[in-house]
Amino acid sequence: MAKIPSRRKIIIDTDPGQDDSVAILLALASPDELDIRSVTTVAGNVPLWRTTENALKILELGGGTHIPVYAGSARPLTREPVTAEHVHGETGINGVNLPAPVRQPEALNAVDFLVETFRASEPGDLTLCVLGPITNIASAIQKAPDIVAKIREIIWMGGAYFEVGNITPAAEFNVYVDPEAADIVLKSGVKLTFIPLDVTHRALCTHQHLKRFAALGNKSGTAVSEMLQFSERFDLAKYLWLGAPLHDPCVIAYLLKPDLFSGRQINVSIELKGEFTTGMTVADWWGVSKRPANATFLRDIDAAGFYDLLIERIGRLP
Ligand code: BDR
Ligand code: CA
């Protein structure tokens, strides 16, 4: 008899961001496979108060008002904040005008929430989907290293190797903003999967894809099309490709359909002191360092399959 797959319990840690927003919507649209227990927010694309407000707005758009939002770290562990309004606009989700959220964030800080939640959970019960700088997770692990044994897995949109960098020539944004946090998480021994630019630069959202989102005819499809049209402008001008990368939804798609992706278990180290390379994910793809594997590093994606999944799922939402 075929085994009925159980719903995977997830916490989404995020800095919305248009692509974060699409990731949250994809998860909301997949209740048979994913049980979103909560959303935690972090400073990244825009300051924390905005990422928190955006998370609430997107949850309300997608019918997820029952999901609590916890605001976390307002700045990286040791460095000055770096934001990306030049890509995402002043609000972080420019392109859509969503109503002010009805629900408020919870009183508890996201870092304390993560510590309490993982301590109270069974080992392997909860998966962390990380879509921004990994500050909240590193802080929780620093406070309570015992939670590492409870975390089923972290899937993180972060890093780059063959594609090198997007915020500096050598570094991807989420790692660059808080490389010390990335280093702590990597060294904790937690099960970690990177979805780097090497994957997301192959998941290009073309004009045809935008038309398919718009043609869905629901509020969420229209919002996705409008938001991505805004955020794409910057990348289209930068890369001169026929579409712009769609980063964070790859994390949720990986949970839904891992066969769309391929990669290897390798050693990944974070450059913390480079003159030009701070925040670089030094990914030993060819195994030349003999350092032990400490992460799964994805390299490729079936982009057509990814967009078919994403568009079909967004079509299920309000
Ligand atoms: C990552 O940085 C942010 O701009 C996106 O939301 C994504 O998480 C891509 O480098
Ligand atoms: Ca993000």
Side-chain angles (χ1 to χ4, degrees), residues 13-17 19-20 45 88 130-133 157 173-174 247-248:
D13 186 72
T14 178
D15 63 332
D19 62 322
D20 302 72
N45 286 323
H88 301 276
V130 182
L131 313 179
M157 191 283 125
F173 181 79
N174 288 340
H247 308 284
D248 296 336

Side-chain angles (χ1 to χ4, degrees), residues 157-161 163-167 171-173 195-202 239 245 247 297 299:
M157 191 283 125
Y161 190 62
E163 290 291 312
V164 202
N166 61 355
I167 185 77
E172 181 280 327
F173 181 79
I195 304 197
L197 298 183
D198 308 304
V199 169
T200 66
H201 282 187
R202 293 176 176 188
Y239 297 114
H247 308 284
F297 202 81
R299 167 88 196 265

Side-chain angles (χ1 to χ4, degrees), residues 67-80:
I67 297 167
V69 173
Y70 296 84
S73 310
R75 49 181 302 126
L77 293 182
T78 59
R79 293 174 191 259
E80 289 302 312

Side-chain angles (χ1 to χ4, degrees), residues 134-194:
I134 203 158
T135 317
N136 287 339
I137 319 304
S139 300
I141 290 175
Q142 272 187 323
K143 259 189 160 176
D146 51 288
I147 67 170
V148 167
K150 300 290 191 77
I151 300 171
R152 174 164 169 182
E153 188 178 2
I154 297 176
I155 322 287
W156 184 24
M157 191 283 125
Y161 190 62
F162 296 95
E163 290 291 312
V164 202
N166 61 355
I167 185 77
T168 73
E172 181 280 327
F173 181 79
N174 288 340
V175 180
Y176 180 75
V177 171
D178 200 347
E180 283 74 19
D183 186 56
I184 287 168
V185 173
L186 260 173
K187 288 179 176 159
S188 74
V190 75
K191 187 174 178 206
L192 176 61
T193 294
F194 282 91

